[in-house]
Structures are given as structure tokens and as C-alpha cells.
């Protein structure tokens, strides 16, 4: 198999928001990118064009992280993309980012809502990573995206935060079990960031925005590049010895 030194990162949910920013930051840093989307193929294609304009290669693939039954077929499509575009059979970095939130009081959260979050965040991160393991090279990296809400508690996020707490435990076990292959695994836990997430409330609701800014050391809410830059830094050369860690990227929320 022909090998090049260019590192390849696979980022789930990179058509918008934090994943898109991470993809562009990593491309600026010299990486090639496989990015996924669920519905917004056009937006994913725009990101591909932006990465290509930076002189890097990129491919976008459709993926529903809430449907673990589709993960084997997805791994096959990743393998095909690696062969077609890079003449390689493995990639270097996986960023488990795709996801949606849920705002519902503990007393009113339904089993259906809970199960939906389990499928996307817990089963998604666990079994997608499992299926992709043969395609990740020894010495590679994995970043799982959690949330500040796994540390501090805001009413209305019980079910969502439980999932993110699970992702943080999962990260430590992945780090332990994949360490012998030289793969480091870490959690990045963003604070509240201006994206479409949660109906875009942090970005579009001035009251919410000001309230979060008031409890953030840096005095404002986060922007996508605040997190994209952190993901890129954690996947840069020279940081592979960091493993099993939770790094909060929140500008110092609720310190
Ligand atoms: P976003 O702007 O809503 O973007 C979500 C991305 O994930 C999109 O690319 C979307 O694809 C994809 N996606 C959504 N559901 C999916 C599914 N079931 N299967 C596959 N892909 C799916 O959200 P974001 O703010 O960037 O959030 C990214 C991650 O950060 C999530 O895990 C979220 O929990 C976490 N997070 C966000 C915040 C925040 O304040 N924004 C804070 C803490 C943690 P389409 O475009 O095709 O729909």
C-alpha cells in the first residue's frame, strides 16, 4: 500500500458548527480530512471545497451516528474513500463530534428522548469507534466531544449531560485499552458555543448569551473556532503523550 506522510482525520458531524471548525483548523495545520454529515450534504460539500482551497484533500460521507446498524457499511465506505483518494488503508485521527442536544426537565424527559440520546451519544461513540478501529493506524489519536454540562449542572439537561458523562468514562477506558497500540484518547468538553446546537439559543437569544457570558471567566460565550482550535491543538504533533484526559474548553465557565 502506498503511504504518504500526510495525516488524515475523520471528523463526524463536520458540515456545521464545532466539527466544521475543527476540520478547517486541522486542514490549515496540514491534515487531510474525511468529514461526515447527516442531512446537510450541501453544507458538507462546501466544507470540502474550503479544505481543497487550503491545498488539502477532503471527502464527505453521509452517516447517522444514531443508527449503529449502519456502522459496518460506513466503515466500508471509509475504506473505499481511503483507497480512492489516498491509496491508503488507514487514517490517523478520529474526532467523535456529531450529536444533538435535548432540553427537557428531568421530570418530563421521556424514554423515547432518552433512548434517542443513548443511540447518538453513547452507542454512537462506542460502536462507531469499535467498527473503525482496524482503519485507525497504530499511534493514532481519538478525541471524543463531551460537554461542560458533565461537570456543572443546568436544569433541563439531565439526560443529555448523563450521556456526556458516559462519554468521559468511555474515553478513559478507550485510552486504557487502545494505549498498547499507541493510540491516545481524550475528551474535549466545550462550554456553551454559538452554533445551531439547541436551536441556536446561545447565539440567537441575547438573554441566554449574556447570562452565560456573565458566568464565564473570559466574559463572553464561545465561538466555534474556540473549540475547533483546541481540537486541532490536541491532535498536533507533540501532544500524543496526553491520554485519558478531559480538557474543558469553555473560557472558564462556572469556575
Ligand atoms: P451543530 O452546529 O448542531 O452541528 C451538528 C453536526 O452534527 C452537524 O454536522 C450535523 O449534521 C451532525 N449531526 C447531528 N445529528 C447527527 C446524527 N444523528 N448523526 C450524524 N451526524 C449528526 O452542533 P455543534 O454545536 O457543532 O455540536 C457538536 C458537538 O459538540 C455535539 O456532540 C454537541 O453535543 C457538542 N457540544 C456542543 C456545545 C455547544 O454549545 N454548541 C457545547 C458542548 C458540547 P447535519 O448538518 O447533516 O445535520
Amino acid at each position: 500500500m502506498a503511504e504518504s506522510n500526510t495525516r488524515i482525520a475523520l471528523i463526524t458531524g463536520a458540515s456545521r458548527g464545532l466539527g466544521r471548525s475543527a476540520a478547517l483548523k486541522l486542514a490549515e495545520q496540514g491534515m487531510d480530512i474525511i468529514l461526515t454529515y447527516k442531512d446537510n450534504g450541501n453544507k458538507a460539500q462546501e466544507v470540502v471545497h474550503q479544505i481543497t482551497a487550503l491545498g488539502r484533500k477532503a471527502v464527505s460521507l453521509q452517516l447517522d451516528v444514531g443508527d449503529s446498524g449502519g456502522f459496518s457499511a460506513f466503515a466500508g465506505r471509509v475504506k473505499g474513500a481511503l483507497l480512492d483518494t489516498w491509496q491508503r488503508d488507514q487514517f490517523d485521527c478520529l474526532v467523535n463530534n456529531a450529536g444533538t442536544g435535548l432540553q427537557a426537565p428531568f421530570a418530563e424527559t421521556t424514554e423515547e428522548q432518552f433512548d434517542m440520546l443513548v443511540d447518538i451519544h453513547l452507542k454512537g461513540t462506542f460502536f462507531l469507534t469499535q467498527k473503525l478501529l482496524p482503519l485507525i493506524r497504530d499511534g493514532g489519536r481519538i478525541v471524543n466531544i463531551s460537554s461542560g454540562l458533565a461537570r456543572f449542572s443546568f436544569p433541563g439537561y439531565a439526560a443529555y449531560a448523563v450521556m456526556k458523562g458516559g462519554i468521559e468514562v468511555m474515553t478513559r477506558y478507550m485510552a486504557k485499552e487502545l494505549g498498547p497500540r499507541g493510540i491516545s484518547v481524550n475528551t474535549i468538553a466545550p462550554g456553551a458555543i454559538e452554533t445551531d446546537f439547541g436551536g441556536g439559543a446561545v447565539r440567537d437569544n441575547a438573554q441566554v448569551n449574556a447570562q452565560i457570558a456573565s458566568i464565564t471567566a473570559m466574559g463572553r460565550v464561545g465561538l466555534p473556532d474556540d473549540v475547533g482550535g483546541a481540537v486541532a491543538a490536541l491532535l498536533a504533533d507533540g501532544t500524543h503523550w496526553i491520554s485519558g484526559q478531559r480538557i474543558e474548553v469553555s473560557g472558564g465557565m462556572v469556575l
Side-chain angles (χ1 to χ4, degrees):
M1 195 66 53
E3 285 290 337
S4 86
N5 289 329
T6 304
R7 293 200 295 154
I8 304 168
L10 191 161
I11 307 165
T12 64
S15 46
R16 298 182 280 127
L18 308 185
R20 173 180 175 277
S21 172
L24 293 171
K25 292 283 183 191
L26 286 166
E28 283 169 13
Q29 215 164 270
M31 281 202 208
D32 289 347
I33 308 291
I34 300 172
L35 59 109
T36 80
Y37 63 93
K38 178 170 171 281
D39 300 313
N40 287 303
N42 289 345
K43 286 194 188 296
Q45 207 48 43
E46 280 171 25
V47 180
V48 167
H49 290 318
Q50 286 175 295
I51 292 170
T52 309
L54 291 167
R56 306 276 20 128
K57 292 180 186 171
V59 168
S60 74
L61 299 174
Q62 200 278 337
L63 169 71
D64 181 352
V65 293
D67 175 21
S68 55
F71 292 170
S72 288
F74 174 73
R77 286 188 287 131
V78 172
K79 202 170 178 178
L82 285 168
L83 280 174
D84 291 348
T85 305
W86 288 277
Q87 295 75 55
R88 282 169 59 172
D89 53 13
Q90 288 188 312
F91 64 92
D92 301 87
C93 304
L94 171 64
V95 182
N96 285 305
N97 163 77
T100 47
L102 172 76
Q103 195 177 8
F106 172 78
E108 291 165 25
T109 303
T110 66
E111 276 193 56
E112 287 72 20
Q113 289 172 323
F114 193 92
D115 287 346
M116 183 262 298
L117 292 174
V118 167
D119 287 348
I120 290 174
H121 292 284
L122 289 184
K123 284 185 76 176
T125 305
F126 195 105
F127 290 106
L128 182 67
T129 305
Q130 187 189 72
K131 283 286 184 302
L132 291 175
L133 277 183
L135 302 181
I136 301 175
R137 77 164 173 83
D138 290 356
R141 320 272 193 95
I142 298 174
V143 172
N144 297 322
I145 301 297
S146 175
S147 169
L149 290 164
R151 175 177 64 84
F152 47 78
S153 309
F154 284 3
Y157 291 100
Y160 172 74
V162 163
M163 307 305 150
K164 292 303 197 181
I167 284 176
E168 296 188 3
V169 174
M170 195 190 308
T171 296
R172 291 198 294 275
Y173 276 84
M174 285 182 182
K176 192 87 174 166
E177 297 199 20
L178 303 181
R181 285 187 53 195
I183 297 174
S184 64
V185 189
N186 293 289
T187 295
I188 279 191
I193 316 289
E194 288 191 7
T195 69
D196 296 335
F197 187 80
V202 173
R203 181 191 55 213
D204 302 334
N205 183 322
Q207 203 181 338
V208 170
N209 189 294
Q211 199 266 330
I212 291 167
S214 75
I215 54 167
T216 301
M218 302 288 256
R220 63 166 174 82
V221 303
L223 300 172
D225 284 353
D226 293 324
V227 177
V231 171
L234 190 54
L235 296 177
D237 287 337
T239 51
H240 81 282
W241 202 240
I242 301 171
S243 196
Q245 302 305 302
R246 173 192 195 269
I247 298 158
E248 192 167 301
V249 182
S250 69
M253 263 181 89
V254 199
L255 290 180

